Amino acid sequence: MASRKKRTAKISEEEQSRRQRFHFQAILLADNFTTKLLPLTLERPNVFLPLVNVPMIDYTLAWLESAGIEEVFVFCSTQVIDYLNNSGWYSHKDFTVKTIESPHESTSAGDALRYIYEQQIETSQIQDDFVLVSGGIVSNMPLTQLIQEHRDRKKKDDKAIMTMVIKQSLVTDHELFIGVNPLTKQLLYYDEDKICLDTSLMDRNPSVLLCSDMQDCYIDICSLEVLSLFVDNFDYQQLRCDFVEGVLADDIMGYKIFTHEISSCYAARIENFRSYDMVSKDIIQRRTFPYVPDMKFSGNRPLKLGRQGSYRASDAIRSPSVHVGDSSVIGHATTIGSGAKILNSVIGNGCSIGSNVVIQGSYIWNNVTVEDGCEIRNAVVCDAVKVSAGAILQAGVVLSFKVVVGRDFVVPAYSKVSLLQQPMEEDSDEEHLLSSVDLQMESKLGPDGAGYIWQVCDEEWKHSVAPIPKDKLAEIIDDDDTEDESVVIPSGNANSINNDVNDLYDFEIEVDGTFLRAVEENIVADLAVLEINSLRLSYNMESAHCAGAIFYSMMKLAADTPHSSAIDLYKNAASIITRWKGLLGFYVKQSDKQIEVISRLEEMCQESAQELGPLFAHIIRFMYEEENDILQEVAILRWADEKAGADESDKVYLKQCEPFITWLKETSDDEDD
């Protein structure tokens, strides 16, 4: 026993010595290397943009600290350095933040890493493997074990220079195709555009797992060789399309990249306004715990969690007639006038919201003034903006800092507005743009307005906080429904398919919440369609799944509405179907979608055989009636034919419908005659 204790002590000393030699270190690229958040990033670094009223960089640093990182090097501009100097990050125990000022000529991640390597030669600050993250990362995943796994792999194979974190994709704004070795998890193929496999890849690897449902988290565990490779290859500018694809294509050096898939943790990168919207919603819905509005981290001021997932600061002032819907956030020292409606939106600190204002699906930052009678839907409004009385911001609008919208002016959908004129393609010098701001410019935003409306591309809707337009969504749905399955390359791993039981369960919960909000706020069916279609794309579901989920929510609401008899329950169901037939009807235009609704009703009747079961045939007939026209004759008869071959125990509701089905067939025969 004595010798065993002595051996344990020796191992502990070795572990302690190893930890003293090698810190857990990280490099955070906190500079602007993207144009997808323009015009905002012309005036403020992207890591400063508030995410549910907290700067993005604070989420990233708080996560790195809690994940076990001991030292982080922040590559950033002087603006970020000034912020960190005035923050409390330098005083944290066992977590050291050091800054590397970005030189003016650094315009890409490749330039940044080459500059860091030059500094590394002089200082040798980065001692061993490190975590490489980009600005705008929100995560709660642990890192120390993953770093150790990377180090252990490197000991066995000195060519293993990077481990890339990936996860099953829920929300993406571009396609990603990757191929991995299913046993070793080595990355074999990576393309953000299309699949174009070289036959030699299959020849060299007997087994390749192809995935089209993965999201790159832009969290990498890197060996020091990664920095030197950027120095050796000056054409490497971007981390993925240049470095990763370059390493995979290089057969001479033989360096390897491995993947690590996360499932129970959260990780996401904000790179455009749509991902900004989705990550904000994830924070509000507490998927990023403990980095949520009611928890204190990185010096933020926690908010009070209220009913229906809304958050409100204790010093926010609002009139009793104000309606704040669920999944909304009201910041500190903000005042809201009478009759205002705040729905599914984030309001920053120090804002003044007038009377009878409607704000829906929007992000209002700090010290914003919105005067009486304004309407703001699915927009981003930056600090110190003034929206004059009666003005309307249509879907997808982005108002940059200190913009003024004139009285009763309507800002067109997807407009980007800034006090800075839009730069020419050949002029991207941000300092020149900032020095040329003219506050006495000719108004572009109505009487007393101030700001320039930038020209945007035709596909701005793809990257907006606004739901995908109905016409664009219809095109996508038509493409999906008619696409030849032979050209779709699904993931080869059953555990990584989006359309599995867990995703379907989560999807139906989201649809149910969206439907109940639509009922509560009396939203028109078209707007509800847009929200549910966004969920459909996010979860990679089909129209039939939407139809089944919506109908389930409708029947669930009918059952939850007070009733004392079967007749009352039927009336509840009929009333809800009548009110929301436009929503359900959007998804049941084809007979197979209608059969999904019938099957879903059958399942619910089996679960509630005594209460809902006797109403099956009545509800089917009600949805068939001409004034509703949700179910068509062909769908009902197809369902009956399919059920005819089932076991007797599975024909309960078919028998209940026999008189109605017989009538349908006779009517059909009469029409044929």
Side-chain angles (χ1 to χ4, degrees), residues 514-529 550 554-555 557 571-585 622-623 627-628 630:
T514 300
F515 175 72
L516 292 178
R517 282 197 302 273
V519 172
E520 177 190 353
E521 298 167 9
N522 199 27
I523 294 175
V524 297
D526 285 349
L527 289 178
V529 165
I550 292 167
M554 293 167 68
M555 291 297 98
L557 178 61
K571 290 180 179 178
N572 289 346
S575 175
I576 293 169
I577 292 171
T578 301
R579 168 63 180 87
W580 295 101
K581 63 184 179 182
L583 173 61
L584 182 60
F622 181 79
M623 290 191 289
E627 59 268 24
N628 296 316
I630 294 172

Side-chain angles (χ1 to χ4, degrees), residues 40-56:
L40 311 188
T41 49
L42 281 179
E43 302 180 60
R44 185 179 293 185
N46 65 325
V47 296
F48 272 5
L49 304 184
L51 193 62
V52 193
N53 298 340
V54 175
M56 289 185 194

Side-chain angles (χ1 to χ4, degrees), residues 280-288 311 327 510 517:
S280 297
K281 286 181 168 61
D282 288 340
I283 292 171
I284 293 170
Q285 294 169 5
R286 309 181 72 78
R287 292 172 180 163
T288 60
Y311 300 84
S327 300
E510 293 274 15
R517 282 197 302 273

Side-chain angles (χ1 to χ4, degrees), residues 42-109:
L42 281 179
E43 302 180 60
R44 185 179 293 185
N46 65 325
V47 296
F48 272 5
L49 304 184
L51 193 62
V52 193
N53 298 340
V54 175
M56 289 185 194
I57 192 171
D58 286 344
Y59 286 96
T60 308
L61 290 175
W63 158 60
L64 289 173
E65 180 181 23
S66 67
I69 298 301
E70 299 162 276
E71 188 175 37
V72 57
F73 298 91
V74 183
F75 181 87
C76 57
S77 65
T78 54
Q79 279 184 279
V80 179
I81 292 174
D82 291 341
Y83 171 78
L84 293 174
N85 286 336
N86 296 319
S87 71
W89 282 113
Y90 290 143
S91 60
H92 286 220
K93 184 180 179 181
D94 300 326
F95 182 67
T96 303
V97 176
K98 296 181 178 179
T99 57
I100 302 174
E101 184 175 345
S102 169
H104 182 70
E105 59 270 16
S106 292
T107 59
S108 69

Side-chain angles (χ1 to χ4, degrees), residues 4 17 73 79 99 105 122 302 320 363 366 379 388 458 471 513 528 599 618 655-656 669:
R4 183 175 181 180
S17 176
F73 298 91
Q79 279 184 279
T99 57
E105 59 270 16
E122 299 177 4
Y363 300 91
N366 299 326
S388 301
D458 294 335
D471 58 333
S599 299
H618 299 284
K655 292 179 179 179
Q656 191 183 125
D669 292 341

